Amino acid sequence: MSDETRDYGWDAGLGLTLLAKLREDLKTATRGRDELRKNTIRIIMGEFPKLTVPITLESGKKTTRPKRPEEITDSDILGVIRGLVKSERYTLELKKEASSPYLAALESYLPAMASRETIAAWVTANVDLSKLKGPMQAMGPVMKHFGQQADGTLVRAVLEELTKARG
């Protein structure tokens, strides 16, 4: 896969942890003089000290310590990246811009989001909307199934569409 966008980014099927892929991509970006990727990965890794583990000191006082690299999970890193994406989207909204190369670089490390069609198909197959008082009562089961891979506003729109189509 020589496509440049495939050289970077992460997918759970790669067989690498997200941390290992970030380190590998940082080396590649540094060697290839890809400043955008290099800086994006450094920003992500710069957030790692915020990942902490609660501990209790001998005195009984509760505190935290930063996670060691071997303690950092893929979900920890995905949470960091989601936070950076949310921050960048907010910044772009204030600037009245649609996207940025930085946002695209961040999103390449996130799992693919569920499409409108995927959500609608799952709801149709697994949720009986006729037994619910309103479409938003189905929100919980749908979000529980898709987790972080579904945008809540998209799920809401799909549920409202399915309710209108039914009624």
Side-chain angles (χ1 to χ4, degrees):
M1 289 185 192
S2 62
D3 181 22
E4 184 181 320
T5 56
R6 196 63 232 146
D7 291 344
Y8 296 107
W10 180 77
D11 186 334
L14 288 175
L16 281 174
T17 64
L18 182 49
L19 182 59
K21 181 62 173 151
L22 284 170
R23 287 180 173 156
E24 185 181 292
D25 286 356
L26 181 60
K27 287 179 192 173
T28 305
T30 304
R31 286 187 195 122
R33 302 201 190 310
D34 185 345
E35 293 299 314
L36 172 70
R37 283 289 172 171
K38 182 175 75 172
N39 292 336
T40 300
I41 295 168
R42 284 184 173 167
I43 289 169
I44 293 169
M45 290 179 151
E47 296 289 312
F48 289 177
K50 294 179 183 174
L51 301 172
T52 59
V53 174
I55 59 172
T56 305
L57 302 176
E58 288 180 17
S59 64
K61 182 180 176 194
K62 295 188 184 298
T63 186
T64 60
R65 67 163 172 77
K67 286 188 173 184
R68 293 192 271 296
E70 61 273 7
E71 295 174 324
I72 297 174
T73 65
D74 290 345
S75 61
D76 289 336
I77 299 171
L78 289 173
V80 165
I81 295 171
R82 282 189 184 98
L84 292 170
V85 165
K86 186 175 181 178
S87 173
E88 179 66 6
R89 283 194 177 135
Y90 181 72
T91 302
L92 290 171
E93 189 179 303
L94 293 176
K95 291 178 171 178
K96 301 201 182 335
E97 293 178 13
S99 188
S100 71
Y102 171 62
L103 180 63
L106 284 172
E107 287 178 335
S108 70
Y109 291 100
L110 292 175
M113 296 297 280
S115 68
R116 178 180 292 270
E117 295 77 26
T118 307
I119 295 168
W122 189 87
V123 169
T124 304
N126 297 294
V127 179
D128 186 2
L129 292 173
S130 64
K131 291 185 179 176
L132 301 175
K133 292 178 184 171
M136 292 308 106
Q137 287 187 320
M139 196 76 179
V142 175
M143 292 307 290
K144 186 175 182 182
H145 173 75
F146 286 103
Q148 295 287 328
Q149 292 171 325
D151 180 33
T153 53
L154 178 61
V155 170
R156 181 183 183 134
V158 167
L159 289 171
E160 287 173 352
E161 286 173 17
L162 291 173
T163 305
K164 285 178 187 173
R166 194 194 84 225

